[in-house]
């Protein structure tokens, strides 16, 4: 099967990984490395917000405890923005094990909550699921957009056809009226000719008489 670089580029999705420890980001990159996705690193909540403003992401892998802005605070800000509210968030933490902290994570918008050290296969499979859902959603959106364009084009074609029919009907009506008028003129001319011939015959008969 021939390679299709353009198709592969279109199917690639962005995944945002956020952690204040560079070595943790490196580990996440090695775990989540996949040709069908583009990994974007962020070392803080502020960097993550900048990335979210610049690009669209299929899923966000987010460390909970970070200096400055915590993962919970970042997640709440993400969910408050209409553009980013639907991004699934997977929390990673090595510190919070109590149910209350997990509830706080889910309340902040998490779809999953994994403890460090994370099982690479589990994390990769979970991210792959959300990436595929995003990809399918994008394909569905493109299909809907194409369908709307087709419907709009068909409506324009129908409008043009109606205009052509109206023009044809108008021309037929105008032509019919013109023919009727011409026919009436010919009848009138024939009638006048008959009247003239009758008058001429009468005038000719009188001298002969």
């Amino acid at each position: 099967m021939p390679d299709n670089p353009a198709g592969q580029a279109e199917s690639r999705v962005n995944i945002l990984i956020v952690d204040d420890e560079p070595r943790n980001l490196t580990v996440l990159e090695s775990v989540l490395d996949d040709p069908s996705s583009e990994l974007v690193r962020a070392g803080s909540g502020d960097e993550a917000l900048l990335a979210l403003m610049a690009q669209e992401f299929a899923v966000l892998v987010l460390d909970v405890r970070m200096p400055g802005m915590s993962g919970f605070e970042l997640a709440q800000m993400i969910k408050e923005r209409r553009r980013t509210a639907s991004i699934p968030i997977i929390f990673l933490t090595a510190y919070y094990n109590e149910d209350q902290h997990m509830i706080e994570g889910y309340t902040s918008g998490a779809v999953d909550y994994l403890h460090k050290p994370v099982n690479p296969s589990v994390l990769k499979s979970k991210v792959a699921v959300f990436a595929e859902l995003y990809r399918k959603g994008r394909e569905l959106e493109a299909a809907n957009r194409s369908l709307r364009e087709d419907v709009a084009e068909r409506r324009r074609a129908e409008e043009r056809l109606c205009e052509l029919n109206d023009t044809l009907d108008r021309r037929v009506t105008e032509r019919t009226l013109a023919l009727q008028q011409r026919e009436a003129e010919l009848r009138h001319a024939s009638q006048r000719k008959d009247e003239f011939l009758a008058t001429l015959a009468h005038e000719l008969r009188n001298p002969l008489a």
Side-chain angles (χ1 to χ4, degrees):
M1 180 180 298
D3 293 336
N4 185 9
Q8 292 178 357
E10 292 177 358
S11 64
R12 287 170 65 88
V13 299
N14 296 323
I15 297 172
L16 181 59
I17 52 177
V18 187
D19 199 303
D20 62 303
E21 291 290 341
R23 63 177 179 272
N24 291 341
L25 290 174
T26 301
V27 171
L28 289 174
E29 284 180 328
S30 65
V31 171
L32 300 176
D33 181 44
D34 190 284
S36 65
S37 61
E38 181 74 25
L39 297 176
V40 178
R41 296 169 56 126
S44 66
D46 292 335
E47 289 184 15
L49 288 176
L50 290 174
L52 287 163
M53 292 176 63
Q55 302 179 69
E56 291 186 1
F57 292 92
V59 61
L60 171 59
V61 181
L62 175 59
D63 183 38
V64 170
R65 177 171 289 185
M66 294 186 298
M69 184 188 305
S70 71
F72 293 149
E73 293 170 334
L74 174 60
Q76 290 172 350
M77 294 182 66
I78 291 172
K79 294 303 177 181
E80 289 172 356
R81 296 179 67 239
R82 178 179 300 179
R83 180 182 172 186
T84 58
S86 62
I87 299 177
I89 299 174
I90 298 177
F91 277 123
L92 303 181
T93 180
Y95 302 97
Y96 297 134
N97 292 306
E98 298 180 5
D99 291 341
Q100 181 60 35
H101 291 131
M102 295 186 67
I103 292 174
E104 185 178 358
Y106 287 120
T107 303
S108 301
V111 296
D112 215 331
Y113 203 104
L114 302 178
H115 295 283
K116 297 179 181 179
V118 176
N119 184 309
S121 299
V122 172
L123 176 60
K124 188 169 185 176
S125 64
K126 289 180 180 293
V127 169
V129 168
F130 292 114
E132 184 62 20
L133 287 174
Y134 177 84
R135 190 177 292 109
K136 292 298 183 184
R138 192 167 59 182
E139 292 174 357
L140 179 60
E141 181 180 352
N144 288 336
R145 183 167 57 251
S146 177
L147 178 60
R148 288 193 297 270
E149 292 173 354
D150 290 343
V151 170
E153 179 60 29
R154 180 174 180 179
R155 185 177 294 113
R156 288 191 293 268
E158 290 175 349
E159 291 173 354
R160 289 196 296 269
L161 181 59
C162 289
E163 292 174 358
L164 290 173
N165 287 335
D166 291 341
T167 301
L168 180 60
D169 289 342
R170 185 172 62 254
R171 289 180 177 177
V172 169
T173 301
E174 292 173 353
R175 182 62 175 167
T176 301
L177 292 175
L179 290 174
Q180 290 175 347
Q181 183 178 358
R182 180 61 178 164
E183 183 180 358
E185 292 173 352
L186 290 174
R187 283 199 305 269
H188 182 62
S190 178
Q191 183 179 355
R192 290 180 60 187
K193 182 190 70 173
D194 292 342
E195 292 174 353
F196 172 76
L197 291 175
T199 301
L200 181 61
H202 178 71
E203 294 294 335
L204 290 175
R205 282 197 299 270
N206 286 340
L208 293 175

